[in-house]
Amino acid sequence: MAKWLVTLGGFALAMLALRDVFHTLWHPTRHGGLSRGVMTAAWRLSARYGRRRAVGLAGPLGMVTVVALWAVTIIAAWALMYWPHLPHGFSFATGLAPAEHAGFLDAVYISIVTMATLGLGDIAPTDAWLRILGPMEAVVGFALLTATVTWVLGIYPALARRRATALRISQLRRAGLSGQQWYTPTATTALQSLAADLAHVCVDFRQYAESYYFHDGDVSTSLAANITYLAAVVDHVPDGAGEEPRLVKEILRVSLDDLAVTLDERFLHTGGTTRHVLDRYAQEHGRAAKG
């Protein structure tokens, strides 16, 4: 009875790990508890040291740590399922004494070899259900590798979109527009484009929440450093003549509200106004827009 309890414990651990992988990599609007905890811890530790290099490494190291923990947890889970059935549930290559290979480390070895799809064959399952369990782990290992690559390939384009949006805002700030210049066709088009860019950033924060914990580099490509300037433009530029400029300004205001709601619901939890949330976002990332 005890060996089946250990096996069930391994199965439960595997399900917890796979659930976290699913919510992080495939669920479109949330990320798993493990990834959230690891990425948040890496970000806070890097911010505590206050060094630019440490902050820049928080996101990549956090992702590596999450993937490593997934792999270790899955290996340990399958090892727990194998362990109680050693040695009688397995066949051993010539020269291996079954009684000497019935420990937990041997189960871990079998799990690693199976997950990595090495197929060494020195220890192989013989019980029917174990012969099914082994290939299932190999499939999970291959799926984890593929999903991790997809995760990386999804996050870095999201970072590029966010940094490009920040650079456009920075360019607008450095152009030094004032008064009625905001209502020229060129400025109106630029603001309309920024509203669309902010919509993409909102979706990226929801679908690739881990991207929040990546440092954006210098001031010109930091959204946190420039977003408060854009909010000030919406708040302080006087209403101009013409329906189109007023409409674009209102759309931009709504876009900033949506961004603030996303940031507050998923990361900051301030419950404040749009401007308060954006200020907190700038503070959280250690940058302040220069105006």
Side-chain angles (χ1 to χ4, degrees):
M1 183 64 182
K3 69 178 185 179
W4 287 108
L5 289 177
V6 175
T7 300
L8 289 174
F11 179 78
L13 184 61
M15 291 300 100
L16 286 174
L18 293 176
R19 178 185 181 277
D20 194 83
V21 173
F22 172 78
H23 281 303
T24 300
L25 302 184
W26 290 303
H27 198 294
T29 58
R30 61 179 296 185
H31 55 174
L34 177 63
S35 62
R36 176 187 292 273
V38 169
M39 299 295 288
T40 301
W43 177 259
R44 289 177 178 173
L45 285 173
S46 66
R48 179 177 299 178
Y49 286 110
R51 296 180 179 178
R52 184 171 182 178
R53 179 176 295 180
V55 174
L57 289 174
L61 286 180
M63 286 185 67
V64 170
T65 303
V66 170
V67 173
L69 286 175
W70 284 336
V72 169
T73 304
I74 290 172
I75 288 170
W78 254 267
L80 286 173
M81 287 187 270
Y82 295 142
W83 182 32
H85 308 281
L86 281 169
H88 60 270
F90 293 81
S91 64
F92 295 80
T94 304
L96 293 179
E100 297 177 359
H101 297 279
F104 182 68
L105 288 181
D106 297 287
V108 171
Y109 164 75
I110 297 170
S111 184
I112 293 174
V113 170
T114 304
M115 184 174 176
T117 64
L118 294 178
L120 298 181
D122 52 345
I123 304 177
T126 55
D127 289 355
W129 73 276
L130 288 173
R131 295 177 66 183
I132 296 174
L133 189 65
M136 287 177 61
E137 184 181 13
V139 170
V140 169
F142 181 77
L144 180 61
L145 174 62
T146 304
T148 299
V149 173
T150 304
W151 192 27
V152 173
L153 294 178
I155 279 186
Y156 280 94
L159 293 174
R161 287 189 291 269
R162 187 172 81 201
R163 290 163 182 169
T165 300
L167 184 58
R168 293 188 186 102
I169 299 172
S170 176
Q171 291 168 342
L172 197 62
R173 174 171 58 84
R174 285 177 281 148
L177 300 182
S178 62
Q180 294 303 312
Q181 289 179 315
W182 286 107
Y183 301 107
T184 61
T186 301
T188 300
T189 301
L191 292 177
Q192 187 173 8
S193 176
L194 280 174
D197 292 338
L198 289 176
H200 288 129
V201 171
C202 275
V203 172
D204 288 335
F205 274 135
R206 290 184 175 274
Q207 187 149 0
Y208 302 105
E210 292 76 18
S211 65
Y212 176 86
Y213 304 103
F214 279 72
H215 182 57
D216 282 327
D218 57 33
V219 173
S220 62
T221 57
S222 171
L223 183 64
N226 290 283
I227 195 65
T228 52
Y229 167 77
L230 193 60
V233 168
V234 174
D235 289 341
H236 300 301
V237 170
D239 291 333
E243 186 65 27
E244 184 177 357
R246 286 196 294 270
L247 178 60
V248 169
K249 181 179 176 180
E250 189 58 33
I251 291 174
L252 189 56
R253 187 193 306 278
V254 172
S255 298
L256 288 168
D257 290 343
D258 288 344
L259 176 62
V261 168
T262 298
L263 290 171
D264 206 41
E265 285 182 349
R266 298 184 65 82
F267 310 107
L268 300 175
H269 310 295
T270 67
T273 64
T274 294
R275 189 57 188 268
H276 176 72
V277 172
L278 296 180
D279 287 342
R280 176 67 181 277
Y281 173 51
Q283 181 183 7
E284 177 93 359
H285 281 250
R287 298 287 186 181
K290 297 180 180 179

